[in-house]
Amino acid sequence: MNQEFKQSILDALSNPNLTGALGNFSVAYRAGRAKAYEGIDFEALRTQIADIKSSASSHFDELAEQFARVAEARGTKVFRTSDPNAVKDYILKLAQARGVKSIVKSKSMATEEIHLNKFLEKAGIDVQETDLGEWIIQLAGQTPSHMVMPAIHMTKEEVAGVFSDKVEDGQKPDIPKLVKFARGKLRPMFLKADMGISGANIAVAETGSIAIVTNEGNARLVSTLPNIHVAIVGYEKLIEKFADIAPILTALPKSATAQLLTSYVSIISGPTPNTDGTPKELHIILMDNRRNEMAKDPRFKQALQCIRCASCLNVCPVFRLVGGHVFGKVYTGGIGTILTAWFDALKQSDEIQSLCIQCGNCKDVCPGKIDIPDLILELRRRLAVEQGQPMIQKAIFSVVNNRRLFHTMMRAASIGQIPFAKEGFIRHLPMFLSNMTEKRSLPAIAAVPFRDRILKIKQPKCKEKAAFYGGCLIDFAYPEMGEAVVKVLNKAGIEVIFPEGQTCCGAPARYSGAYEVAAQNGADNIKALLSEDVKYVVSACPTCTVALKHDFIANLESVGRTGELPAARQLSEKVVDFSTLASQLLEQGRLKFKAGIEPTKFTYHDSCHFKRTLHADQTPRKLMKQAGHELVEMDECDMCCGMGGSYTIKMPEISAPILERKLMNVEKTGAPLLLIDCPGCVMQIGGGLDKRGSKIQVQHTVQRLADCLE
Amino acid sequence: MSAILESSAILESFKARAEAVSAQVQRVETKELAIELIVRLLHQEGVEDKPHCYAVWAACPMIGDNEKKKLEGAVPGLKFDVTRELAADAKVGISQLDWALANTGTLVQSAVEIDKRLVSTLPLLHIALISTAALLPDLPAVLTRVDPRKSAYLSFITGPSRTADIERVLTIGVHGPERLIIVFVDDLEVAA
């Protein structure tokens, strides 16, 4: 990793103002957003938005053409260009022709994208940001740390300092007074400005209208007081119909700031009179800058459904730790990573894409229905294709794919540690793994992997068979989870087989962008798991289940191995996660809870893939409550634990504080038992609790269930 | 009867939403009562005929020339000839709005005439008059009633101006008004 990037992460992590403000905001946002959407069918709403925006991006040029025609007929001047430099030149020429000396601006990401301020200032024009946060940042000479709240990283003391240094001495850190001060200083600038520059949140082709959304009222003033108004609008803001404003405007404030509607919305559809009676000179610049190219990319087209609410930042467990500065100067967070790759350059996303832990939180809340984690994986894949795979990664995959060799190597590393193993955890590891264990103990590698242990289990002969897919962690580190699966299924009259040919699920390769490797993993597993006629293919690892059920198909498709798709689909239909299968078997009366189970309080951690891809999160809760246990929900139960497969190795500095927060939330419940459906999360959280000397017992749902059945 | 009940339910819904974003909501039966209320408010606010103390009222159908004269007499410092300098210096701005949206507590106005925007943005207090019958349920409802071809500037106002840009602390009154008083008038006609 680039040292500068690494340092920017470390700087952010050690900035308590930033992490404190973002951390508090993420909690408030979650509750506020839920309240704002009360009584609204979010899925229906975002499907509507996705359809509107997707249809628009299929016809960008036609819509831009129509917009220009309609708007020009009413006296607006429309300039269309694909070139950011042409935008800057157009504005400068206009400013010079009209003798513009000062400009007031309301917030516009498009102008930040093309670094307009710097360009105009160089030409001797005074450019004033008027959004309070943007003004603070501009005065401080910093860049925004959040797309919607640009100065969220600064304290009132710092703001008072900036105002005192740059504007007028003696400002006190009193927020209402600071706001009043800004009002007082910016008001004369609005009144004297020769030109107002704004962005737009929506551009309607049918009526040539733009909609601008603000809370402070600055866009109202920018578009009202100066005699010239220039709006810079990215093509992705185009929609076809005027009525289509409603769903976007319904979602945007709720997703952005948990408001029902922002204080002000202006819908401008042509020049209006100025105070001196002249008509406003209204210029609208429609800027392409690779949006059309993006629209023609079958994978990235959906990123144009973004309405710039920044909810993907607000729910991101990584963003709330590192903030926006590590992402670069313009677009930040999940969607920002994707936009940077396109509007700047693919290689610019090389470092920042690695920040994504693939938890899927953002995908769940995106009002544009964008699968952001999937697009980040696609960036990873394209970067891997462009730059080639690092040698070390290649070496790791070749070991991971050879199950016997992988186990032997892990076991060898583990055996050296046996003297330190305590209650199943390794206390210390060799140096090269040391940053993995600072906050967490690792499980001991089993002497005999599950693939050998299952051969020793005496199973009843049954008509119905299930193939068990182990995955690395159950096979090598937690074979007892596999044994519990066998125990439960045997009780239901199902015999469990372990096809020996099964190998890595391909998730590590997929999440590193190595799709060829991942596709081969899938092909090997399909062959192994379909080799015997079984009714179910069961896994107790959600990442593996998702791989078997969804990713094998996607991986084969992405590398063009379409001939193998029917087999992949056949496998997909048989695949089921353990808790879902157990719940079905209980409903069918094939499993029964035993009487006299001692009621225990438990808390439950939602594993990312289990909840957000498999949507099975309520099933284990229900099972355990049926068993007589009492659920005590923890705060942020569905927030990632920081494991993220190899994320914990690649980004230990970020993974550790994510884990810390999870441990705190677990401990706060006071429950003596934590249940999880993912062995990776068991390793992460269980290891973390062990390191703290906690007495909380951590189990996979299957382990607890095995003890609760007749 | 049922229409009145219905309109009072929708008004309650509007009121709850508008008050949640720090607006004040009142209702009067007639234009005359509305004018009385405003005169009272302007006196309370200390409107006078001297700098920083003016009130500006944007032209609206409910106030004819006769009423203007009467009002200017009753409240020195109240001006109907709105200039940007006057509006920027005024304490209070008054205007009539066209629609209200119950599910967000929003006021909507066709604001092509710049006066309407000046009086509702520049002073610290904005008093908004609106016909009770202009209450609509939501955003889609108003979008079918407005014609952007005729109204080149549509304003949506939901509570006073606000920011949370410093430490996320909600602060009212940044560039726009810090108070918004909404007065529903039962016998006012709905804008075309």
Side-chain angles (χ1 to χ4, degrees):
Chain A
M1 191 185 297
N2 173 316
Q3 275 311 308
E4 206 179 314
F5 180 62
K6 188 98 181 171
Q7 193 55 48
S8 73
I9 292 174
L10 294 176
D11 288 348
L13 289 169
S14 61
N15 178 349
N17 295 339
L18 176 73
T19 51
L22 289 171
N24 292 338
F25 174 62
S26 75
V27 174
Y29 172 78
R30 194 181 167 105
R33 180 188 174 278
K35 197 165 173 352
Y37 273 112
E38 259 171 24
I40 289 176
D41 183 343
F42 180 65
E43 283 310 314
L45 179 65
R46 71 171 177 167
T47 301
Q48 204 186 348
I49 294 171
D51 289 348
I52 290 167
K53 304 276 288 184
S54 166
S55 148
S57 66
S58 301
H59 305 95
F60 270 161
D61 282 330
E62 291 148 62
L63 292 184
E65 177 80 44
Q66 185 186 7
F67 183 96
R69 200 175 55 237
V70 176
E72 279 170 350
R74 271 203 301 281
T76 305
K77 296 190 178 64
V78 180
F79 176 58
R80 292 163 58 196
T81 179
S82 58
D83 177 11
N85 288 322
V87 175
K88 293 191 269 195
D89 289 338
Y90 181 91
I91 297 172
L92 181 61
K93 276 194 190 124
L94 176 67
Q96 285 167 341
R98 304 289 183 274
V100 169
K101 290 184 187 66
S102 68
I103 295 175
V104 279
K105 269 188 77 199
S106 63
K107 198 169 156 44
S108 151
M109 294 303 296
T111 61
E112 285 177 39
E113 182 183 322
I114 62 172
H115 309 291
L116 178 68
N117 290 9
K118 238 190 220 164
F119 177 80
L120 293 174
E121 280 163 359
K122 243 190 196 163
I125 297 169
D126 180 51
V127 183
Q128 205 64 53
E129 291 288 349
T130 60
D131 172 81
L132 178 59
E134 292 281 344
W135 191 51
I136 295 168
I137 296 296
Q138 187 187 29
L139 289 172
Q142 299 189 17
T143 56
S145 55
H146 188 284
M147 275 200 276
V148 175
M149 296 167 295
I152 193 173
H153 60 290
M154 293 175 81
T155 61
K156 56 182 184 293
E157 287 77 15
E158 288 172 310
V159 174
V162 170
F163 284 180
S164 300
D165 286 351
K166 308 279 174 164
V167 191
E168 194 178 304
D169 229 2
Q171 302 313 313
K172 301 269 176 316
D174 174 308
I175 294 173
K177 282 191 183 140
L178 291 169
V179 172
K180 270 251 148 75
F181 176 78
R183 177 189 173 103
K185 290 293 164 192
L186 286 168
R187 178 58 68 84
M189 297 178 189
F190 278 117
L191 289 165
K192 77 157 206 257
D194 310 301
M195 178 189 276
I197 295 183
S198 74
N201 299 86
I202 304 168
V204 186
E206 179 186 36
T207 55
S209 313
I210 54 170
I212 315 175
V213 170
T214 69
N215 272 314
E216 298 179 2
N218 54 326
R220 254 166 98 72
L221 291 176
V222 161
S223 59
T224 295
L225 293 175
N227 282 358
I228 308 168
H229 174 202
V230 181
I232 294 130
V233 187
Y235 266 38
E236 79 285 0
K237 300 287 163 47
L238 284 163
I239 57 173
E240 193 190 340
K241 293 195 158 56
F242 190 71
D244 292 343
I245 290 176
I248 297 172
L249 216 47
T250 301
L252 178 57
K254 296 178 181 69
S255 287
T257 48
Q259 288 175 279
L260 296 182
L261 194 59
T262 43
S263 299
Y264 301 105
V265 180
S266 299
I267 301 180
I268 300 171
S269 311
T272 49
N274 287 315
T275 41
D276 60 9
T278 60
K280 168 101 49 205
E281 199 177 325
L282 175 62
H283 297 256
I284 296 177
I285 302 176
L286 296 176
M287 181 174 82
D288 183 340
N289 194 21
R290 294 200 73 195
R291 271 100 171 148
N292 247 313
E293 201 183 328
M294 202 171 184
K296 290 182 178 72
D297 185 298
R299 295 299 299 277
F300 284 96
K301 181 176 185 285
Q302 60 163 307
L304 295 160
Q305 288 156 214
C306 175
I307 60 171
R308 304 284 188 273
C309 70
S311 57
C312 54
L313 283 60
N314 301 341
V315 300
C316 176
V318 178
F319 187 88
R320 75 172 170 188
L321 287 171
V322 301
H325 287 145
V326 304
F327 286 87
K329 291 195 165 73
V330 186
Y331 296 106
T332 56
I335 192 68
T337 303
I338 296 158
L339 299 180
T340 300
W342 278 84
F343 301 159
D344 198 339
L346 179 60
K347 69 172 183 348
Q348 289 299 331
S349 70
D350 187 20
E351 305 275 17
I352 55 177
Q353 59 78 19
S354 66
L355 290 167
C356 175
I357 197 169
Q358 291 286 317
C359 74
N361 272 358
C362 51
K363 179 185 166 182
D364 267 17
V365 299
C366 177
K369 225 177 167 183
I370 306 170
D371 191 343
I372 295 168
D374 187 56
L375 293 184
I376 291 178
L377 279 191
E378 179 62 13
L379 285 181
R380 232 169 251 183
R381 189 187 72 78
R382 291 184 188 187
L383 283 159
V385 170
E386 197 169 88
Q387 304 173 345
Q389 226 180 335
M391 279 306 290
I392 183 153
Q393 212 168 308
K394 273 190 189 156
I396 290 170
F397 289 141
S398 65
V399 173
V400 166
N401 296 340
N402 182 331
R403 305 314 267 174
R404 293 275 168 205
L405 177 61
F406 185 33
H407 176 249
T408 309
M409 281 182 66
M410 282 181 56
R411 171 75 183 158
S414 159
I415 286 173
Q417 307 306 319
I418 274 190
F420 304 102
K422 184 192 146 206
E423 291 163 18
F425 287 98
I426 297 172
R427 291 278 163 195
H428 303 278
L429 275 172
M431 290 289 282
F432 71 98
L433 287 172
S434 65
N435 53 12
M436 288 177 67
T437 54
E438 229 166 86
K439 301 278 179 193
R440 189 188 71 201
S441 314
L442 283 181
I445 298 302
V448 182
F450 181 71
R451 57 182 61 224
D452 293 330
R453 284 215 209 180
I454 190 174
L455 303 174
K456 306 241 164 67
I457 303 174
K458 280 214 164 95
Q459 296 195 57
K461 286 279 156 225
C462 310
K463 264 198 236 151
E464 217 168 82
K465 283 194 173 62
F468 181 63
Y469 181 81
C472 319
L473 278 169
I474 293 182
D475 201 357
F476 305 142
Y478 296 115
E480 61 272 22
M481 292 177 189
E483 287 168 343
V485 170
V486 175
K487 190 173 160 188
V488 171
L489 294 188
N490 283 174
K491 281 177 202 274
I494 299 171
E495 195 180 329
V496 181
I497 60 160
F498 189 95
E500 172 68 22
Q502 62 180 272
T503 181
C504 177
C505 71
R510 176 180 166 86
Y511 295 135
S512 303
Y515 277 55
E516 297 285 347
V517 179
Q520 187 54 46
N521 286 150
D524 291 343
N525 282 313
I526 292 165
K527 194 172 156 212
L529 295 169
L530 292 179
S531 62
E532 267 194 66
D533 185 28
V534 293
K535 183 157 183 198
Y536 309 102
V537 174
V538 190
S539 163
C541 169
T543 307
C544 298
T545 311
V546 168
L548 269 59
K549 214 169 174 57
H550 305 292
D551 296 346
F552 287 0
I553 298 171
N555 296 341
L556 288 167
E557 262 174 353
S558 80
V559 298
R561 290 170 68 166
T562 47
E564 291 153 273
L565 288 176
R569 293 205 177 95
Q570 195 191 337
L571 173 65
S572 170
E573 276 168 30
K574 290 180 186 235
V575 172
V576 62
D577 70 273
F578 169 78
S579 283
T580 300
L581 179 58
S583 158
Q584 288 166 4
L585 295 170
L586 272 157
E587 265 171 38
Q588 292 160 10
R590 293 171 69 179
L591 291 174
K592 279 197 177 67
F593 287 111
K594 65 183 174 195
I597 299 168
E598 197 189 326
T600 308
K601 277 190 179 162
F602 75 103
T603 189
Y604 186 80
H605 163 71
D606 289 291
S607 304
C608 297
H609 284 130
F610 195 71
K611 171 164 181 170
R612 284 180 282 274
T613 312
L614 299 173
H615 307 293
D617 50 303
Q618 292 309 309
T619 307
R621 286 177 168 85
K622 219 168 100 191
L623 286 176
M624 285 301 132
K625 284 196 262 184
Q626 283 170 353
H629 293 328
E630 186 195 332
L631 175 63
V632 190
E633 291 282 8
M634 68 176 97
D635 287 344
E636 302 189 338
C637 58
D638 59 356
M639 191 60 96
C640 180
C641 66
M643 176 70 185
S646 53
Y647 194 88
T648 181
I649 308 169
K650 288 179 186 158
M651 294 281 180
E653 305 84 358
I654 295 174
S655 172
I658 294 178
L659 173 61
E660 285 293 303
R661 191 164 178 137
K662 177 58 71 176
L663 298 178
M664 191 189 75
N665 284 330
V666 171
E667 285 172 337
K668 246 180 14 199
T669 64
L673 173 66
L674 167 65
L675 293 177
I676 306 176
D677 269 71
C678 168
C681 302
V682 168
M683 174 169 142
Q684 173 85 340
I685 303 174
L689 288 170
D690 179 73
K691 196 85 182 178
R692 287 188 173 201
S694 164
K695 293 281 169 260
I696 297 170
Q697 190 186 8
V698 184
Q699 284 190 317
H700 191 297
T701 300
V702 67
Q703 294 170 287
R704 178 57 54 156
L705 191 68
D707 290 337
C708 294
L709 296 171
E710 254 177 24
Chain B
M1 183 66 195
S2 74
I4 292 167
L5 281 179
E6 217 170 86
S7 87
S8 76
I10 192 170
L11 182 65
E12 282 312 304
S13 158
F14 176 92
K15 196 166 179 262
R17 300 283 156 74
E19 285 173 353
V21 289
S22 321
Q24 294 170 47
V25 182
Q26 309 211 21
R27 177 186 185 176
V28 294
E29 282 170 3
T30 63
K31 283 179 229 176
E32 291 70 32
L33 288 171
I35 290 170
E36 267 176 44
L37 172 66
I38 287 172
V39 170
R40 213 159 52 238
L41 282 170
L42 295 181
H43 285 308
Q44 263 171 36
E45 294 298 324
V47 170
E48 286 179 66
D49 198 6
K50 61 179 190 193
H52 313 313
C53 295
Y54 303 113
V56 280
W57 194 323
C60 61
M62 72 177 276
I63 305 290
D65 286 342
N66 286 341
E67 271 114 342
K68 276 185 196 171
K69 271 198 197 115
K70 250 191 274 168
L71 280 164
E72 278 173 339
V75 188
L78 172 59
K79 313 276 180 188
F80 289 93
D81 288 323
V82 182
T83 64
R84 60 197 260 150
E85 290 72 25
L86 255 181
D89 191 44
K91 250 186 188 178
V92 186
I94 305 152
S95 61
Q96 185 183 337
L97 285 93
D98 303 329
W99 294 276
L101 310 181
N103 80 337
T104 52
T106 303
L107 301 171
V108 186
Q109 182 181 44
S110 168
V112 174
E113 301 84 353
I114 196 165
D115 297 9
K116 292 182 179 175
R117 278 173 274 145
L118 295 177
V119 306
S120 60
T121 318
L122 293 172
L124 277 171
L125 169 60
H126 175 212
I127 301 172
L129 293 156
I130 172 107
S131 159
T132 311
L135 262 163
L136 299 173
D138 53 21
L139 200 56
V142 76
L143 290 182
T144 60
R145 282 169 173 81
V146 295
D147 183 355
R149 291 168 193 91
K150 290 181 189 141
S151 305
Y153 202 114
L154 286 164
S155 285
F156 292 68
I157 299 173
T158 311
S161 155
R162 63 190 53 230
T163 188
D165 273 355
I166 305 177
E167 293 191 357
R168 286 196 317 107
V169 174
L170 178 67
T171 314
I172 304 291
V174 199
H175 298 303
E178 60 185 22
R179 283 160 65 210
L180 170 64
I181 299 176
I182 302 167
V183 182
F184 281 95
V185 187
D186 290 353
D187 73 348
L188 205 54
E189 289 98 54
V190 182

